[in-house]
Amino acid sequence: MSVRAQAVPTDTTGGRHALVVMDNVNKHYGDLHVLKDIDLKIHAGEVVVVIGPSGSGKSTLCRTINRLEPIDTGTISLAGQPLPSEGKDLAKLRSDVGMVFQSFNLFAHKTILENVTLGPIKVRGTNKAEAERKGRQLLERVGVGSQADKLPAQLSGGQQQRAAIARALAMEPKVLLFDEPTSALDPEMVNEVLEVMKELAASGMTMVVVTHEMGFARSAANRVIFMDSGRIVEEAAPDAFFSRPESERARDFLSKIIAH
């Protein structure tokens, strides 16, 4: 089974359609200005990796795209429609924007298959048999098909995160957000999750990935966004960013995290 990004018409400039558009977005936590004048377009089928030091605003940026974090000023649109702020329209938006969290967020009292099928049944109105058929296919795809009838606590962290990816895919989202999906995992489990994400990237899924995994950024991203102090400091293709970063701040960051 292959999950593809939903077909979106190209824009008038001949490029890919801008699926997510952030225009002059600002966000505060009290006196702390965490997102500063963010302008960003994410195109259909594009994999954008967001990196930067802790506290730079990466996760907040990711979480504003599905309104888990409201913004103070500016606009965010998905597929040409402004993000709704509440109600049924917000619920529909969240079904179109999948999210994979650092801490899995699986329902502990439900089996892995039940976790995956809950959204399609409750939100999309899919009948249970069809939801379970697709759910098992997705669990097989991410390598945990044999764990479908177990509870989350019976799985390793890597297996739980792969199940969480299957749960997000079950909603057939237009864009998939990853908020540091490997940071809570033991080192030996990181690669099994990254391999699933690389396969998704290769399949054409539109993805926004906040991560510290530079190897993934190099190999899977179409574009790397570097943030610092709430701003997008630099954005470039991976080869250009990692070999020839333009800003002093990015050069300093890379020199500290990449062994030479």
Side-chain angles (χ1 to χ4, degrees):
M1 180 182 177
S2 178
V3 176
R4 297 278 175 180
Q6 295 186 11
V8 180
T10 55
D11 62 24
T12 55
T13 65
R16 287 177 295 184
H17 178 82
L19 191 57
V20 178
V21 178
M22 306 181 75
D23 184 17
N24 198 31
V25 169
N26 285 269
K27 165 74 178 174
H28 295 77
Y29 293 124
D31 293 333
L32 185 62
H33 197 173
V34 291
L35 293 180
K36 302 174 182 176
D37 304 324
I38 298 294
D39 291 316
L40 178 63
K41 291 183 178 180
I42 297 158
H43 298 87
E46 189 178 24
V47 179
V48 175
V49 173
V50 185
I51 66 173
S54 296
S56 59
K58 308 183 300 294
S59 289
T60 303
L61 181 147
C62 186
R63 291 165 68 88
T64 61
I65 296 174
N66 68 349
R67 274 279 195 254
L68 280 177
E69 296 286 355
I71 60 176
D72 297 325
T73 59
T75 60
I76 304 175
S77 62
L78 174 69
Q81 298 297 315
L83 295 197
S85 57
E86 58 186 16
K88 290 183 179 179
D89 288 341
L90 180 57
K92 183 181 185 305
L93 164 84
R94 292 208 175 120
S95 69
D96 287 337
V97 182
M99 184 93 182
V100 179
F101 298 90
Q102 178 178 332
S103 54
F104 323 140
N105 285 18
L106 296 169
F107 291 111
H109 63 291
K110 293 185 179 294
T111 68
I112 295 304
L113 182 61
E114 287 170 340
N115 269 277
V116 171
T117 59
L118 185 63
I121 292 170
K122 297 289 188 183
V123 179
R124 298 282 195 210
T126 307
N127 72 64
K128 184 177 180 182
E130 177 65 8
E132 289 186 350
R133 183 187 68 81
K134 289 185 176 179
R136 289 187 185 277
Q137 285 182 333
L138 286 169
L139 289 171
E140 286 289 344
R141 182 181 178 191
V142 301
V144 291
S146 62
Q147 313 298 321
D149 299 315
K150 293 182 179 179
L151 294 172
Q154 296 175 284
L155 275 61
S156 70
Q159 290 172 326
Q160 288 187 61
Q161 192 61 295
R162 284 183 282 160
I165 293 172
R167 176 183 60 183
L169 290 173
M171 296 297 287
E172 299 181 350
K174 293 176 180 175
V175 58
L176 200 48
L177 311 176
F178 293 83
D179 186 9
E180 301 197 17
T182 60
S183 61
L185 298 177
D186 291 336
E188 66 269 22
M189 296 177 186
V190 169
N191 281 340
E192 66 189 52
V193 172
L194 292 178
E195 285 304 313
V196 171
M197 293 169 60
K198 288 176 184 177
E199 191 273 333
L200 283 176
S203 79
M205 176 62 66
T206 308
M207 298 164 60
V208 180
V209 184
V210 175
T211 186
H212 294 289
E213 298 293 337
M214 296 301 120
F216 176 84
R218 283 179 181 271
S219 64
N222 299 109
R223 189 160 39 122
V224 175
I225 304 290
F226 175 71
M227 292 187 69
D228 186 46
S229 301
R231 297 187 185 278
I232 294 176
V233 176
E234 192 168 338
E235 54 183 295
D239 285 350
F241 178 78
F242 287 106
S243 62
R244 301 179 302 279
E246 293 182 355
S247 65
E248 182 63 35
R249 186 65 187 91
R251 288 193 290 272
D252 179 61
F253 176 80
L254 290 174
S255 73
K256 292 175 179 175
I257 64 167
I258 296 178
H260 295 285

